Amino acid sequence: MSCCDQPGLMPVETALERLMALADAAPIAGSESLPLSQADGRVLAEPLIAGLDLPPWPNSAMDGYALCLADWTGEPLTVSQRIQAGNAPQPLQPGTCARIFTGAPLPDGADTVEMQENVQVGDDGRVTFLEPLRVGQNVRPQGQETRTGDAVLPAGTRLGPIELGLAASLGAAQLLVRRRARVAVLSTGDELVEPGQPLGPGQIYNSNRRLLMTWLQRLGCEVVDAGILVDDLDKTREALASLGDVDLILSTGGVSVGEADFLGVALREAGELALWKLAIKPGKPLTCGQFRGVPVIGLPGNPASTLVTFGLLARPYLLRRMGVTRVEPLGFPMPAGFTWSKPGKRREYLRARLQDGRVVPYPNQSSGVLRSAAWAEGIAEVLENSTLAEGDSLRFIPLSEILG
Ligand code: AMP
Ligand code: MG
């Protein structure tokens, strides 16, 4: 990782591009085969190839009657067999129809299904078709969804309920997935105390550790709890040295050029360090470096800054290293429900809600206020050097797009 210090503020796009380049240079190697029950949240290491047609045979989309429309004269038909889902039908006797139910295989010789609501069954059991029929109606042809050999999911897909359901539909019992990323979470600051402990003078509870550990678990990472690191150079060196077997060290706090920037000092000594001053608010300073070959990302300590910089920068970086194809969140243009009259030098990410179809920011956007994000439904992007009038469009990124 080369030093990227530069004068001025780094645009968010540049930071993202650089992080992507770093990620591409350090993919997390290795894969394992897992049963579907253990594959939620993991990343597919190879394409999922269909081993069969879906559906495997033509079947009925309705409860009704199957017939061969090509041979039908328009007369009422007798019912020659009854076919339920799970049955293996006989070929259709010429000049008859078959009682058939949803999902049941179409008998050989039949090409059409009429729904039961559109027939009349006479006292003699013969079936009169009341509506005009069209060849192939209510039939799901073999291979309609998928053909044998189709690449149904590409490598790099993150597996969730839908993908796992799809894999199950193809009979896949195991999937080859990428190895989990091992990520260490380090919280720096003399002032930090874990919940459950009494607060001393000048102390605050550590919120970033829980925020990031929970988030990383959701991203499918193996999380190493590196605890709280006091603001001390020797302790910082020791802590970093003890984390040699992880794929990423993610720290919070101590990344500004303040006097307590021990992380920066330790990284400069034993590795590489880039301190990026990002054109982003909240969250200006971001450290990007490595310690004895282990990549380190240092996020700003204010919890709302941690949220925004992890969600918009570190998360895509990490997903990319995990082999995920789509790493950036979807955002949608939405009308502003507020005005923005003072253009800023930094791009602002407001914790905001949608009210009556408009973006409404939480009143207190201070970078220390995590409550803003708990209230919010998404992050609204106000571009640098721009103003907004009510109704002007801005990008709204739902929190659900970045939290998983
Ligand atoms: P720093 O980047 O270390 O100067 O921290 C910036 C602000 O974030 C300070 O007010 C810190 O007390 C606060 N902060 C740093 N780390 C955490 C944390 N893990 N949890 C909550 N607040 C923090
Ligand atoms: Mg600090």
Side-chain angles (χ1 to χ4, degrees):
M1 190 179 297
S2 66
C3 187
C4 309
D5 293 69
Q6 60 165 35
L9 296 177
M10 185 190 289
V12 177
E13 287 85 359
T14 310
L16 205 51
E17 265 169 39
R18 291 189 181 183
L19 284 169
M20 289 302 137
L22 292 171
D24 285 337
I28 292 162
S31 55
E32 58 182 322
S33 182
L34 288 182
L36 299 191
S37 58
Q38 290 170 30
D40 181 34
R42 303 296 293 270
V43 181
L44 205 52
E46 61 182 9
L48 174 63
I49 307 291
L52 50 104
D53 288 351
L54 273 188
W57 16 258
N59 68 92
S60 178
M62 291 283 177
D63 291 345
Y65 295 85
L67 69 158
C68 177
L69 193 57
D71 295 348
W72 185 50
T73 59
E75 294 299 300
L77 296 177
T78 53
V79 177
S80 54
Q81 65 178 315
R82 180 186 165 88
I83 313 164
Q84 284 181 316
N87 292 166
Q90 300 298 316
L92 186 69
Q93 276 179 36
T96 71
C97 65
R99 182 76 169 116
I100 196 162
F101 296 90
T102 305
L106 213 65
D108 277 348
D111 57 16
T112 302
V113 171
E114 178 56 300
M115 58 200 273
Q116 62 194 17
E117 289 81 353
N118 292 344
V119 308
Q120 207 168 42
V121 183
D123 291 341
D124 58 357
R126 296 210 303 165
V127 178
T128 303
F129 294 87
L130 304 173
E131 302 285 334
L133 299 176
R134 184 177 45 77
V135 177
Q137 73 180 36
N138 300 322
V139 174
R140 303 163 175 162
Q142 176 174 347
Q144 165 183 258
E145 177 180 341
T146 297
R147 292 264 176 212
T148 304
D150 281 355
V152 176
L153 295 172
T157 301
R158 287 182 75 201
L159 299 169
I162 295 172
E163 292 74 20
L164 293 172
L166 188 60
S169 76
L170 290 163
Q174 306 259 330
L175 291 172
L176 192 70
V177 299
R178 304 269 298 236
R179 174 172 74 76
R180 277 183 198 281
R182 258 170 81 75
V183 181
V185 173
L186 194 57
S187 315
T188 74
D190 281 343
E191 73 279 31
L192 300 179
V193 174
E194 286 305 330
Q197 305 297 314
L199 273 189
Q203 295 186 315
I204 59 168
Y205 285 117
N206 181 1
S207 45
N208 292 337
R209 169 176 166 270
R210 182 50 44 213
L211 169 76
L212 289 175
M213 287 181 68
T214 306
W215 202 342
L216 287 162
Q217 276 158 0
R218 280 195 179 191
L219 295 179
C221 299
E222 185 187 328
V223 186
V224 175
D225 180 6
I228 293 171
L229 180 59
V230 293
D231 294 317
D232 174 273
L233 186 55
D234 283 334
K235 293 263 173 12
T236 303
R237 289 188 190 115
E238 275 170 38
L240 291 173
S242 73
L243 298 170
D245 63 340
V246 299
D247 298 301
L248 176 68
I249 298 170
L250 197 58
S251 78
T252 61
V255 294
S256 49
V257 269
E259 283 172 17
D261 178 23
F262 297 108
L263 186 73
V265 176
L267 290 181
R268 277 206 173 88
E269 282 174 0
E272 289 175 40
L273 171 83
L275 183 66
W276 296 350
K277 294 195 198 83
L278 303 176
I280 186 173
K281 192 175 174 188
K284 184 159 121 192
L286 190 112
T287 302
C288 199
Q290 37 174 291
F291 187 85
R292 298 180 189 161
V294 179
V296 181
I297 291 184
L299 303 174
N302 275 307
S305 305
T306 302
L307 171 87
V308 167
T309 51
F310 183 81
L312 299 179
L313 296 166
R315 175 186 178 274
Y317 160 84
L318 189 56
L319 289 179
R320 182 76 156 248
R321 287 189 63 199
M322 289 160 64
V324 175
T325 330
R326 188 174 82 76
V327 299
E328 284 188 55
L330 292 178
F332 306 92
M334 293 295 298
F338 62 98
T339 57
W340 191 266
S341 49
K342 235 177 102 193
K345 286 202 173 66
R346 297 191 273 158
R347 188 172 300 186
E348 294 224 12
Y349 289 95
L350 307 175
R351 279 73 70 212
R353 264 189 192 180
L354 298 181
Q355 276 171 7
D356 301 323
R358 294 192 159 210
V359 174
V360 178
Y362 188 72
N364 184 347
Q365 292 288 327
S366 160
S367 58
V369 177
L370 190 57
R371 194 173 165 189
S372 60
W375 177 89
E377 295 162 338
I379 297 179
E381 186 182 60
V382 180
L383 296 177
E384 48 272 59
N385 308 316
S386 72
T387 58
L388 289 171
E390 283 224 17
D392 283 357
S393 185
L394 75 168
R395 190 158 82 111
F396 183 82
I397 303 166
L399 279 176
S400 55
E401 269 295 304
I402 57 171
L403 285 179

